[in-house]
Amino acid sequence: MDSNEQVAPDLAGAEPASDAWLATREARAALAPRRKPYWHAVDTGRHLGYYKGARSGTWHARVFVGSGRYEEILLGKADDHARADGLAVLDYRQAIERSHDWWLGKGYGTAADELSQRIKRSRPKKRVQTDKLDEVALAWARERPDLDLSLMGLFMRIKQAHYMHERRLTMISQSVGVDVGELHVLLALRRVGAPYAMRPTDLFRALLVTSGAMTKRIDRLERAKLVARMPDDEDLRSSRIMLTQAGVKAADAGMDHIAQGLGVLREGIGMSDDEYSEADSYLRRILSVAF
């Protein structure tokens, strides 16, 4: 065993012991920060890991896959300085349970110890899947242990979710004969209500694009007869951009496709209304902070 490996006594057939060397905040506080996790042997070839950074810690799990190699996953943040919520912040028992979920999802643990059997009987399985974002977070945790990068994975996933949403919008916009930017214009006009008209200035401010980019979008939509420029009765120096009848139909078709896609996504995710509400509240708190 090299100097970077520490393995705690086997916990088979027992509750996670109160005096286990990773089980309490006090015990983990006594550990020195380092570049690799402290590993705890839970069963043959399966380990729970605790990475001790300069300001915070994270839980990890790994499984032996042969030829001296392990597959590893980031489970979540440790409850060193924050209360465990069982989601983003995990205490020792929750980390053990989530690691078992992952191992079982990978096809390991069919001859699991008594602790694993109790977990299987007591709670449904939700497989914790590893992905490339986990690999990025793990790599930085090892390369820069002096930095608290615990939020990196969360923001990478937010970015990835936005990218996936934009890909879906691209397919939807193509189905109605426009590009994504033009679809955003149609939807912005449609949601203000009849007569579905806005000033160009209000449009580019609402969609966070430059006035030049908005002018190009409006020109293309006008050539496609989806919008029309109308005189502004309140400001004779300006005009209002209004959806044509064809533009209203295109916007409604786009929203129909968006709603259908969100329904399929919602069914695939399998979250309850309360869980969506809780996730939304967390994102609102994140977005409320000015960077």
Side-chain angles (χ1 to χ4, degrees):
M1 183 181 303
D2 65 37
S3 60
N4 282 325
E5 296 293 322
Q6 290 195 23
V7 178
D10 192 355
L11 293 181
E15 295 288 336
S18 60
D19 59 348
W21 66 297
L22 294 181
T24 67
R25 292 179 179 178
E26 293 75 17
R28 297 193 298 269
L31 299 174
R34 67 179 195 181
R35 294 172 63 87
K36 293 186 177 181
Y38 292 88
W39 291 108
H40 171 113
V42 177
D43 202 346
T44 303
R46 291 179 285 157
H47 304 99
L48 175 71
Y50 171 71
Y51 167 75
K52 178 69 175 291
R55 291 186 291 176
S56 63
T58 51
W59 294 112
H60 302 252
R62 72 179 185 181
V63 62
F64 183 69
V65 295
S67 303
R69 296 182 299 108
Y70 286 86
E71 183 174 349
E72 184 177 333
I73 186 175
L74 173 67
L75 298 173
K77 191 172 182 179
D79 64 332
D80 297 338
H81 307 293
R83 184 176 180 180
D85 58 13
L87 299 171
V89 182
L90 309 175
D91 61 21
Y92 176 79
R93 175 182 287 275
Q94 291 165 345
I96 286 282
E97 293 181 353
R98 186 169 291 185
S99 66
H100 274 283
D101 287 344
W102 181 62
W103 292 323
L104 291 168
K106 298 294 291 183
Y108 295 90
T110 54
D113 55 32
E114 185 178 341
L115 173 61
S116 177
Q117 295 295 333
R118 282 198 296 272
I119 292 169
K120 285 193 286 186
R121 290 194 299 266
S122 64
R123 62 197 299 267
K125 295 297 162 292
K126 292 183 180 179
R127 179 175 175 181
V128 182
Q129 297 186 7
T130 185
D131 56 25
K132 294 296 182 182
L133 302 185
D134 288 327
E135 295 176 9
V136 172
L138 286 167
W140 279 116
R142 289 168 177 165
E143 291 302 312
R144 290 302 306 271
D146 56 309
L147 300 178
D148 181 4
L149 300 173
S150 55
L151 289 179
M152 176 178 286
L154 171 64
F155 282 100
M156 286 193 299
R157 282 178 174 78
I158 291 174
K159 181 178 179 181
Q160 182 72 7
H162 173 72
Y163 170 73
M164 293 169 61
H165 178 65
E166 287 297 309
R167 285 185 60 186
R168 287 191 290 269
L169 284 182
T170 297
M171 292 185 289
I172 291 169
S173 64
Q174 291 172 350
S175 72
V176 298
V178 297
D179 66 25
V180 174
E182 294 159 8
L183 178 63
H184 283 304
V185 175
L186 295 178
L187 297 181
L189 291 169
R190 178 63 178 86
R191 65 176 175 258
V192 299
Y196 315 118
M198 295 176 68
R199 295 186 180 92
T201 301
D202 295 330
L203 272 170
F204 74 70
R205 287 176 178 170
L207 298 180
L208 303 178
V209 298
T210 65
S211 60
M214 181 55 63
T215 297
K216 292 179 181 178
R217 294 181 187 181
I218 293 171
D219 288 344
R220 292 194 295 266
L221 290 170
E222 188 175 28
R223 288 195 295 270
K225 302 186 184 305
L226 297 176
V227 303
R229 286 182 168 90
M230 307 296 292
D232 188 345
D233 295 336
E234 298 179 5
D235 185 353
L236 298 179
R237 298 169 300 175
S238 183
S239 63
R240 292 169 67 85
I241 310 303
M242 180 181 297
L243 286 179
T244 63
Q245 186 175 2
V248 173
K249 290 181 178 179
D252 283 340
M255 283 307 301
D256 288 342
H257 287 304
I258 290 172
Q260 292 169 6
L262 291 176
V264 172
L265 183 63
R266 183 185 183 100
E267 182 178 354
I269 294 172
M271 290 169 59
S272 68
D273 290 341
D274 288 343
E275 288 173 322
Y276 278 114
S277 179
E278 184 176 20
D280 182 68
S281 67
Y282 287 142
L283 286 174
R284 288 175 183 271
R285 288 170 61 184
I286 291 172
L287 294 173
S288 69
V289 178
F291 288 92

